[in-house]
Amino acid sequence: MEKILTTEGVVDSVIFSNPENGYCVFSLIDDDAEGAGAELVCVGYVPDINEGESIRVTGSIINHPSYGRQLGVSSYKKTLPKTERGMEKYLGSGLIKGIGAGLSKRIVKKFGDKTFEIIEEDPLRLAEVKGISAEKAMTIGAVFHEQAQLRRVIVYLDRYGISPVYAMKIFRRFGERAIETVENNPYRLADEIQGIGFKTADSIAGAMGIERDSPIRLKSGIKYVLNLASQSGHTYLPLESLMKNTGLILGAEEDAIRDTVAEMNAEQSLFCEKRDDGVRIYLNIYYYAENYTARKLLELDRTAEKFIFDYHEDMKYLREKWGISLAYEQETAVKEAMENGVCVITGGPGTGKTTTLNAIIKLLQTEKYKIILTAPTGRAAKRMTEATGLEASTIHRLLGTNYLAENSRRQVFEKDEDNPIEADVVIADESSMIDLMLMYSLLKAIPHGTKLIIVGDSCQLPSVGAGSVLKDIISSGCIRVVRLNEVFRQAAESDIVMNAHKINRGEYPELSKKNSDFFFIKRSNIDDVIKEIVSLSRTRLPKYLGTKEIKDIQVLTPMRKNPLGVINLNAVLQEAFNPKSHLKNEKEYRSTTFREGDKVMQIKNNYNTVWKIIENGKETDEGTGVFNGDEGIISRISSGGEFVEVVFDDNKYVRYDFSQLDELELSYAVTIHKSQGSEYRGVIIPAFNAPPALLSRNLLYTAVTRAKELCVIVGLPSIIYKMIDNNKEINRYSALGERLAEMKEIL
């Protein structure tokens, strides 16, 4: 049973401190501990802790295998030191620049136990001490005052269950007005502090006595519902849908919600658009992004240089110089890409998109045009590089991510209209994954006169983020689109390719056929499906493919929960691939145990995270930004430094503080959505009962097309047939296609 201890003392030394999240290790001189003046090492999230501070801590006693007895701090309360020794140590700790041990001793000798009172209330008196000017005295007073304000904010927010880590973020955002801001409108926390959501802010508001029909609650609730909608892929919501969803969450009347929406529209804090089918409600950023994206695509199409294309000479050149022979559809795609400012090339597996792309690149290189290749994910960019021989980068890296302001929710890129990409042609692959905001950011960085070629499979799942960019562009009829439909002979020999096309056409694959690269294994209960998945992924597929690389085999499932969801499968597969060992460090975070050697995935964009490329033990490059869907292996978990180190593709090393582990998930199994843009040598797909929305044709199609050499489906034939029969896609509220059509009439 855990031993809980509450004790009070003076911070003797700060052993380790992370200023970003407040995690630290410090020693406490505790007169109440066993033995007078005994030292107790404390670990936990205690932001801005300083030597000499008095602190009361509560936590559980930990017997660390390497560092011995420690106190894991769960809660604390800081006070200023009351003894002259404590004051002297506090001032000399380095907290206030320019005060060392000698000067702190003279200050305390001069003012005694009134030292802190004088610094806070009459700092100019510090000039009475030799070595302190009036200017320096005021600087000391300002720093001391800021520390006092932070302590007040921490104490104030503690009553509402806000941890010191978030209290520090709130103080950094609002400064001395933090308490006033929260009292006036606690919902600003949800809008402006990353990590604090609407429900937390609503709970604080309730505790503060803010009425449930208060305008500030209704406004924040409406934004919350629109943000939830964007996470489901919508760029807007119809007014009726917004009122219904907001009413369910807030328990508010529809008339009150309608009036609040009208008020927010008048304040320009959201955008209401009247259309023939009703009123659409947008968060401003999505409305602006949709309009800008439509306009910029049409402007690029009109202004980009139309390269001279001599059909017979260019086809002859490709055949004789490069050995590239194209089918009619591919030739058409090359012609349209060369002659249009913006062109979309779409097609399924085996239809020759890569060959077509290489043909276009060869012609452009002949004319000395500068070409930039890009894709949404690291794996997709790597595949693009391998297929073309030219270096490709992720869109995020192409645009260059800046460090974000503290608590900012907005992505910031170095490349934009004022600092554009330098290229004659930009080619974007795997474009079905590009959401509205990423396309908007990419287009902002592409100057007029640049050609844009968009490549992707429109039959795959839409982007994880808001919007249906590729489908909307294609459906608009405003941008030239070439569809590649012919499956070539070599690809036709692959049952993965042929069955993917059958699935896409609504036809059933022959499940009893013994294929070279596509297999179905019938299992009638969940336990047997799980056992088969473990056996396949652990031994049979690696042996069949001749690989020992854990990243070559991937389990793809439609769902997160239930026994065949990623949560349970990852726990089972972790035990099979990487069981607990005294030779491996591990860290439990919430309900997940991370262990050295585990396969993991980044699950949210983090534009500030620093990465370093290390090759042969030497650092060769560094940068910032780790993105949703990036996969890697845990190379190290520290015993005392409180971090997890992950090595991603291309030898990118990233160090995560333990408080950042909500950005990582085990990835022995991942959802099909998360696998977009990736390709694996072997793929295993469970086919069993799941919610109807997760048993769809394009979900199965996307999963099968992730397999490069081997695809195995385990489960029930009836589920596969049900998925193929269900061609209903969840409707996304997105108007990019309409805007393209309307703007084309104007421009």
Side-chain angles (χ1 to χ4, degrees), residues 617-638:
K618 294 183 179 180
E619 182 182 322
T620 60
D621 195 8
E622 69 174 4
T624 60
V626 186
F627 305 108
N628 191 355
D630 288 352
E631 294 182 81
I633 303 293
I634 295 178
S635 57
R636 182 184 171 199
I637 298 178
S638 69

Side-chain angles (χ1 to χ4, degrees), residues 284-295:
N284 288 336
I285 186 63
Y286 289 113
Y287 179 76
Y288 178 76
E290 231 175 42
N291 278 277
Y292 181 94
T293 298
R295 179 179 293 275

Side-chain angles (χ1 to χ4, degrees), residues 312-374:
H312 295 290
E313 286 300 316
D314 286 339
M315 289 301 114
K316 180 181 177 182
Y317 170 78
L318 289 170
R319 285 192 303 272
E320 295 180 356
K321 173 69 175 176
W322 299 104
I324 300 175
S325 296
L326 302 177
Y328 175 74
E329 287 178 346
Q330 293 173 303
E331 290 178 349
T332 302
V334 172
K335 177 179 183 296
E336 298 297 343
M338 299 295 285
E339 294 183 345
N340 288 277
V342 181
C343 178
V344 174
I345 301 172
T346 184
T351 57
K353 292 194 299 296
T354 299
T355 301
T356 304
L357 200 54
N358 276 321
I360 293 168
I361 289 170
K362 296 303 181 188
L363 291 177
L364 294 170
Q365 286 178 322
T366 302
E367 299 299 325
K368 308 298 184 185
Y369 290 114
K370 183 177 180 181
I371 308 162
I372 284 181
L373 306 183
T374 191

Side-chain angles (χ1 to χ4, degrees), residues 50-102:
N50 298 284
E51 293 176 1
E53 282 188 301
S54 295
I55 186 169
R56 182 180 178 84
V57 292
T58 297
S60 55
I61 293 296
I62 304 166
N63 286 309
H64 194 282
S66 302
Y67 300 100
R69 184 174 181 265
Q70 297 179 340
L71 180 72
V73 178
S74 57
S75 64
Y76 72 91
K77 182 177 181 181
K78 292 201 292 185
T79 60
L80 286 173
K82 297 179 179 63
T83 66
E84 291 185 14
R85 177 183 174 279
M87 291 178 182
E88 186 180 312
K89 193 170 185 65
Y90 178 81
L91 291 176
S93 66
L95 170 67
I96 302 172
K97 189 176 180 181
I99 297 184

Side-chain angles (χ1 to χ4, degrees), residues 608-620:
N608 290 346
T609 293
V610 176
W611 52 259
K612 296 180 179 180
I613 293 180
I614 300 176
E615 296 173 326
N616 300 320
K618 294 183 179 180
E619 182 182 322
T620 60

Side-chain angles (χ1 to χ4, degrees), residues 245-258:
N245 293 337
T246 306
L248 289 172
I249 290 172
L250 300 185
E253 297 294 329
E254 285 195 356
D255 286 347
I257 298 168
R258 189 191 302 272

Side-chain angles (χ1 to χ4, degrees), residues 450-498:
T450 303
K451 181 184 291 294
L452 175 62
I453 300 171
I454 301 170
V455 184
D457 184 350
S458 61
C459 295
Q460 287 189 26
L461 293 168
S463 59
V464 175
S468 299
V469 173
L470 180 60
K471 289 185 178 179
D472 283 356
I473 292 173
I474 292 172
S475 67
S476 73
C478 300
I479 301 296
R480 188 67 178 97
V481 177
V482 181
R483 298 179 185 273
L484 303 179
N485 296 304
E486 181 183 346
V487 179
F488 291 94
R489 183 182 60 79
Q490 187 175 356
E493 295 173 0
S494 164
D495 285 298
I496 292 174
V497 172
M498 297 314 296

